[in-house]
Amino acid sequence: MEDNKIQNSDIDKAKNEDESEYEKICYVCRRPESKAGSMVSMPGGMNLCHDCMQKAFDSVTQGGLDLSKLPGMPYMNLNLNDLGSLNKDLEIPKKQKIKKRSDKEPKKQLERKDIPAPHTVRQKLDEYIIGQEQAKKAISVAVYNHYKRVYLADTVQNDEDAVQIEKSNILMIGPTGSGKTYLVKTLARLLDVPLAIADATSLTEAGYIGDDIESVVSKLLSAADNDVERAERGIIFIDEIDKIAKKKNTSSRDVSGESVQQELLKLLEGSTVEVPVGANQKNAMTPMTTVRTENILFICGGAFPDLEDIIKERLKEKTSIGFSSELKDKYDKDANILSRVTNEDLKKFGMIPEFLGRLPITVTLETLTKELLVRVLNEPRNAILKQYQKLLELDEVKLVFEDEALEWIAEEALKKKTGARALRAIIESFMLDIMYEIPKDPNIGSVIITRAYLDKNGGPLIQMRG
């Protein structure tokens, strides 16, 4: 009995310490403590700001008003002694609570030693990503310069004569399965900063069905555990950015194309925005907080289908007649034609000039060749084959792939034209039977995957223990 009391007291203490990290939020107006001022805490986990309390008492003194009918105030006609038995139903969900800004401790500034050099970032990326050498180099430099800019902003924020460095967001262009999303995920993990991945296809102009522009910042805030200061130094990756290109030959309002580009301008450049906490859209029951986006690194990525044709058309215009002329079909077989992209090509595709101006760094990713796909299979630290080998190690079975088998997998992946994404689907299909059968026989010591097995001309080579 005594042990239970001690255990319960420890749990309550830990819970109170956890709650002390977050701001109290008014149950009626949903404003946090930093905006509404001190709160009146009531039994049942309900907090009310002084404004809402005053309005409630004013309504009571006027008479004839049932407060239980008011929106957000269903419990105001209860006896206060009954509130403790409501099992914390009145508490704001934790995902909608905002971490307090520490007044006692000074704001944690970014230290110069905390910014990794470009070659250090590149070396770490090499452990996880195969190929894309130019892209990794460009992103390493861009990230290094971005966080140096944040460091300078912290150190010379009150110096009016200091040089102001402009923000440099990144535009990533590459075919599907070339590693755009994985590159950004790996980068955020190596830098230990919060990352939010948003899909541009779900974004619409304010007032229409879909996610508002501020929802991308809400996702970052959620990834930072509702810590505003940490979120303001994070990374936002907006995928499928090519899907918000200007619609051609349309008479209807373009609420998910050019309008979204226009509304993203303020976020990309750097502004102070009100964002909902724990939700994608603003409403009366969602707490709001203020986030500054000037130190958030925005990376926009997309496959940009048919952009190759626009680039080829521009390059072919330079062809002429004579000994120094270039053949019109010279660029038809160029696998890395995207590396020749210019802002003019992107404008023709449907991206507005103001949007491109806020993405000064353009990074292009190469199409993965057969040789690169073979390396993707077994070289990265988290390679697909290493994952399967680890799974079979738990059954004390060694898994081996012959070189010819790896080439067969890469060839099949090329046929699907979905890049590295096709590799796992292909491996899953022929590993299913092996993963099912091996646990049946504890005497199996190793399994060798051969090309004959993949071509369905035989089975895998199985070696028994001892």
Side-chain angles (χ1 to χ4, degrees):
M1 194 74 173
E2 197 72 30
D3 292 339
N4 288 337
K5 287 182 179 179
I6 295 172
Q7 188 175 2
N8 289 335
S9 64
D10 290 341
I11 293 173
D12 292 338
K13 184 178 179 181
K15 189 172 182 182
N16 291 332
E17 287 178 357
D18 183 55
E19 289 178 353
S20 66
E21 293 182 12
Y22 295 90
E23 293 188 44
K24 294 178 181 177
I25 295 175
C26 178
Y27 184 75
V28 178
C29 67
R30 284 312 202 257
R31 290 184 300 166
E33 206 171 5
S34 58
K35 294 183 179 293
S38 59
M39 299 279 174
V40 177
S41 297
M42 304 179 69
M46 182 169 66
N47 299 299
L48 294 174
C49 68
H50 287 281
D51 290 342
C52 291
M53 284 291 288
Q54 187 62 50
K55 288 177 183 177
F57 286 122
D58 289 345
S59 301
V60 171
T61 55
Q62 291 172 8
L65 181 63
D66 185 0
L67 293 179
S68 65
K69 305 298 183 185
L70 291 177
M73 301 181 72
Y75 300 105
M76 288 302 291
N77 64 338
L78 287 177
N79 189 310
L80 290 180
N81 295 324
D82 297 332
L83 286 175
S85 62
L86 293 176
N87 298 323
K88 301 294 183 180
D89 289 338
L90 302 179
E91 285 190 358
I92 304 293
K94 187 173 181 179
K95 69 176 184 178
Q96 291 187 347
K97 291 184 177 180
I98 307 160
K99 279 200 173 181
K100 290 181 179 179
R101 292 179 184 264
S102 179
D103 296 328
K104 296 179 181 178
E105 299 178 6
K107 181 180 176 181
K108 185 179 179 182
Q109 294 187 342
L110 187 68
E111 298 290 338
R112 179 68 181 84
K113 61 180 176 61
D114 296 333
I115 307 171
H119 69 277
T120 305
V121 177
R122 167 73 180 276
Q123 287 171 0
K124 291 181 179 179
L125 290 175
D126 286 339
E127 296 178 14
Y128 296 90
I129 296 160
I130 299 300
Q132 313 300 358
E133 305 302 329
Q134 188 60 31
K136 288 187 289 189
K137 182 178 179 180
I139 286 178
S140 300
V141 173
V143 167
Y144 181 60
N145 288 337
H146 173 76
Y147 284 102
K148 278 201 297 185
R149 173 185 174 275
V150 175
Y151 165 74
L152 285 173
D154 285 345
T155 54
V156 298
Q157 53 187 344
N158 297 321
D159 188 356
E160 296 181 359
D161 297 327
V163 176
Q164 299 294 325
I165 301 175
E166 293 296 325
K167 198 174 177 200
S168 296
N169 299 308
I170 303 170
L171 175 63
M172 293 177 64
I173 303 173
T176 181
S178 58
K180 298 184 294 294
T181 306
Y182 187 61
L183 183 58
V184 177
K185 282 182 178 179
T186 306
L187 184 67
R189 187 172 68 251
L190 296 177
L191 295 172
D192 191 26
V193 294
L195 167 69
I197 299 178
D199 196 330
T201 54
S202 64
L203 300 177
T204 57
E205 189 179 354
Y208 290 84
I209 295 174
D211 292 341
D212 293 338
I213 304 302
E214 290 82 4
S215 67
V216 299
V217 185
S218 293
K219 290 180 179 178
L220 181 65
L221 186 61
S222 177
D225 294 328
N226 291 352
D227 186 339
V228 176
E229 291 183 3
R230 190 162 181 260
E232 288 177 345
R233 290 176 181 167
I235 297 175
I236 292 179
F237 179 56
I238 306 178
D239 202 4
E240 307 290 352
I241 201 69
D242 51 305
K243 303 303 187 293
I244 61 169
K246 285 195 295 184
K247 305 296 186 292
K248 298 178 176 65
N249 303 322
T250 179
S251 57
S252 59
R253 185 174 177 84
D254 191 8
V255 299
S256 61
E258 183 179 359
S259 298
V260 176
Q261 292 187 56
Q262 295 281 2
E263 294 200 9
L264 277 172
L265 298 181
K266 62 178 182 179
L267 295 185
L268 295 175
E269 182 142 359
S271 62
T272 302
V273 291
E274 289 277 334
V275 299
V277 181
N280 287 342
Q281 291 184 326
K282 301 174 182 177
N283 58 67
M285 298 303 291
T286 303
M288 305 285 290
T289 191
T290 303
V291 178
R292 299 189 314 173
T293 66
E294 59 188 19
N295 290 332
I296 297 175
L297 177 63
F298 284 84
I299 303 177
C300 300
F304 288 86
D306 303 326
L307 181 61
E308 295 96 332
D309 296 333
I310 297 174
I311 299 171
K312 289 175 185 176
E313 183 182 343
R314 172 177 57 81
L315 294 173
K316 287 177 181 179
E317 289 176 357
K318 298 179 181 179
T319 59
S320 58
I321 299 173
F323 292 106
S324 61
S325 64
E326 296 180 348
L327 296 176
K328 284 187 174 289
D329 62 349
K330 175 182 177 181
Y331 304 104
D332 290 343
K333 296 181 180 179
D334 189 349
N336 295 317
I337 190 71
L338 286 175
S339 62
R340 299 173 179 266
V341 69
T342 64
N343 275 3
E344 290 300 320
D345 300 324
L346 292 168
K347 287 176 191 174
K348 284 187 180 179
F349 186 86
M351 311 308 290
I352 61 174
E354 304 95 308
F355 185 77
L356 295 174
R358 286 161 175 81
L359 296 165
I361 301 172
T362 302
V363 177
T364 57
L365 281 77
E366 304 171 3
T367 304
L368 294 177
T369 61
K370 175 184 170 181
E371 292 73 20
L372 286 175
L373 286 172
V374 170
R375 292 179 60 196
V376 167
L377 281 169
N378 57 14
E379 286 188 22
R381 181 176 290 187
N382 295 328
I384 303 171
L385 299 189
K386 291 180 182 178
Q387 295 176 32
Y388 280 95
Q389 288 168 344
K390 190 66 177 177
L391 286 172
L392 287 180
E393 270 183 26
L394 298 176
D395 294 325
E396 298 181 353
V397 176
K398 184 179 180 182
L399 178 64
V400 180
F401 285 81
E402 289 186 345
D403 291 341
E404 290 184 354
L406 297 181
E407 291 180 4
W408 183 92
I409 298 170
E411 290 166 4
E412 289 297 307
L414 285 175
K415 293 177 185 176
K416 294 182 180 293
K417 296 183 178 179
T418 54
R421 284 194 178 93
L423 295 174
R424 180 172 288 277
I426 294 168
I427 295 174
E428 286 278 0
S429 63
F430 67 76
M431 284 296 294
L432 177 63
D433 291 337
I434 294 173
M435 301 293 284
Y436 181 80
E437 297 293 339
I438 279 180
K440 290 182 180 179
D441 191 347
N443 293 318
I444 295 176
S446 65
V447 178
I448 301 174
I449 307 298
T450 63
R451 181 155 190 152
Y453 169 61
L454 299 179
D455 282 329
K456 298 184 178 178
N457 294 326
L461 297 178
I462 295 177
Q463 297 178 348
M464 309 307 285
R465 301 182 194 277

